[in-house]
Amino acid sequence: MDGGPPFRKPRWSKAYAFGLVTGAMFLFAWAGQFVFQLMAETSQAEQHGQSFSWGDFLAQFLASTFENWQSEFLQLVWQAAGLAIFYYWGSSQSRESDERIEAKLDALLRDRNIDPARP
């Protein structure tokens, strides 16, 4: 017996697997956006008889990236943080579920001949 804790700390890759997979998917999607937007911009420049400019492309690429991030992250933050705040404040939905749980507990106590009103 080594006297250590009863559990072992997982390997770094296993402990952070969700973050690693999410990061890899993000990089894959971002690279895909870069490639396909680059293809569209070069095609559009050729159709209009203009030369392709990396400066213009990178500015447009970053603008479209931040537009996507803004809309997606704001939506996600509202869904996660906003719902947590409403739950904490005791919205009508959370009060209904508390009342329902209390009613079920009272019914169980009555089934066992215990008065729920008496502590």
Side-chain angles (χ1 to χ4, degrees):
M1 194 177 248
D2 61 352
F7 60 90
R8 289 185 298 158
K9 188 174 180 179
R11 292 188 325 259
W12 185 87
S13 60
K14 188 173 183 179
Y16 296 102
F18 181 79
L20 293 171
V21 169
T22 303
M25 288 172 38
F26 165 76
L27 290 176
F28 180 74
W30 201 28
Q33 178 187 350
F34 180 85
V35 168
F36 287 111
Q37 192 169 351
L38 178 64
M39 290 169 48
E41 287 298 314
T42 54
S43 175
Q44 186 177 6
E46 288 175 7
Q47 287 177 356
H48 294 292
Q50 300 171 345
S51 62
F52 175 78
S53 169
W54 277 103
D56 292 340
F57 169 73
L58 289 176
Q60 186 178 11
F61 173 71
L62 290 176
S64 65
T65 296
F66 288 124
E67 286 173 6
N68 288 338
W69 285 358
Q70 180 184 17
S71 66
E72 297 302 323
F73 281 123
L74 286 176
Q75 182 182 28
L76 179 66
V77 166
W78 171 247
Q79 288 177 354
L83 290 175
I85 288 170
F86 282 142
Y87 182 76
Y88 177 74
W89 285 343
S91 69
S92 61
Q93 288 81 10
S94 62
R95 274 186 261 130
E96 286 174 1
S97 65
D98 289 345
E99 291 169 0
R100 200 167 165 219
I101 290 171
E102 287 179 28
K104 287 180 180 182
L105 288 173
D106 289 346
L108 287 172
L109 289 172
R110 276 190 227 100
D111 285 347
R112 288 170 178 71
N113 296 323
I114 301 172
D115 183 14
R118 203 170 43 125

